[in-house]
Amino acid sequence: MLNPFKKKTTPAADAAQGEPSHRPLDLGSHTSLAKTARVSLQKAGLDGLRACVYLVLDRSYSMNGYYSSGAVQYLAEQALGLAVNLDDDGVVPVVFFDDKSYPVTEVAVANRTGVIDREHRGLGGERTMGGTRYEKAIGTVVDHYRAYQGSGGTDPAVVIFQTDGHPQGPAAATTALAAASKLPIFWSFVSFGPGPVDYLRQLDTMTGRAVDNASYWHAGFDPQRQVSTDTTYDQALYNHLVAEIPAWLTAARAAGVIA
């Protein structure tokens, strides 16, 4: 059974031990993504932010091609590139979902090669791919984060939530996201596919939330090779993942969501 959440350190504790508050990891070939993510964090004024990074992955049947092409694996590596900047151990809890949500697993520097294919096949591969129930994944992340809080964790969380389609139960998804707005969790939605997801485009105007706790970016039909107005796809992704976090932090603190 996985730990409820990875162990955190604090700047004060690290200082007392004479160690830096954010110890560098041996990233090997992953150094480039980590550096790119750091540029986006610095641009957004988030250099020094400490946060847990989650990755939520759609396993609806229409996602099959993205799993086989390696696009989902690449997103997991991009998530890891962000996590090593924000989190002391650079481990990303991963939640797969379709009609249901699956038990939380982890992506880390040590196990990242081929990890998505291994986990996907372990869940039955394309034979068991189902629908698109956002609320199931949201609930799993919330439960996991509450366990982290229960163990004394205080860092906010950033969730990279990937999908390629509209939720089957939009009302349930909206209710779940609204309830989650009372927690220090920011949801960065990213969609794969030829066109944007209308439901996700409405996130900024969604009512019933304590604060606006989500953003959305359409990554395009071929997310590994997408060219945007930014220099590279990697930089574009990171820019969009973190762009709305500063405003959310300000609003969440004002609303008492973050102490």
Side-chain angles (χ1 to χ4, degrees), residues 17-120:
Q17 297 174 25
E19 297 178 12
S21 63
H22 194 268
R23 290 182 286 277
L25 297 170
D26 181 7
L27 301 179
S29 62
H30 210 70
T31 301
S32 178
L33 284 175
K35 287 182 177 179
T36 303
R38 185 171 181 80
V39 169
S40 294
L41 288 165
Q42 290 172 332
K43 182 190 296 186
L46 296 172
D47 195 23
L49 175 68
R50 304 307 306 280
C52 315
V53 177
Y54 283 85
L55 177 63
V56 174
L57 297 172
D58 186 345
R59 280 191 81 249
S60 58
Y61 192 76
S62 57
M63 281 290 301
N64 188 39
Y66 294 112
Y67 280 89
S68 61
S69 72
V72 182
Q73 169 68 34
Y74 192 62
L75 181 63
E77 300 214 13
Q78 290 170 315
L80 191 57
L82 182 63
V84 297
N85 283 282
L86 296 178
D87 197 348
D88 59 1
D89 63 3
V91 175
V92 178
V94 180
V95 176
F96 292 89
F97 78 100
D98 44 51
D99 296 305
K100 62 182 179 181
S101 182
Y102 295 85
V104 178
T105 185
E106 293 182 342
V107 172
V109 172
N111 78 341
R112 71 183 187 276
T113 303
V115 64
I116 295 303
D117 184 58
R118 289 195 302 273
E119 296 293 339
H120 180 49

Side-chain angles (χ1 to χ4, degrees), residues 62 65-66 69 71 191-196 218-226 233:
S62 57
Y66 294 112
S69 72
S191 70
F192 292 176
H218 174 231
F221 186 71
D222 190 356
Q224 279 189 271
R225 298 173 177 81
Q226 178 73 17
Y233 170 70

Side-chain angles (χ1 to χ4, degrees), residues 52 100 188 232 242:
C52 315
K100 62 182 179 181
S188 288
T232 66
V242 306

Side-chain angles (χ1 to χ4, degrees), residues 6 15 33 45-46 103 110 116 119 133 141 153 156 166-167 177 182 214 258:
K6 46 195 178 294
L33 284 175
L46 296 172
I116 295 303
E119 296 293 339
R133 304 291 310 200
V141 171
H166 195 274
L177 196 58
K182 299 174 184 177
I258 297 177

Side-chain angles (χ1 to χ4, degrees), residues 132-136 138-139 161 166-182 187 189 198-200 202-203 205-211 213-214:
T132 315
R133 304 291 310 200
Y134 290 13
E135 78 277 9
K136 303 294 186 180
I138 292 171
F161 192 116
H166 195 274
Q168 285 180 279
T174 298
T175 297
L177 196 58
S181 70
K182 299 174 184 177
W187 306 79
F189 287 87
D198 287 341
Y199 174 86
L200 297 177
Q202 300 167 12
L203 287 178
T205 59
M206 190 179 291
T207 59
R209 293 178 291 173
V211 293
N213 60 339

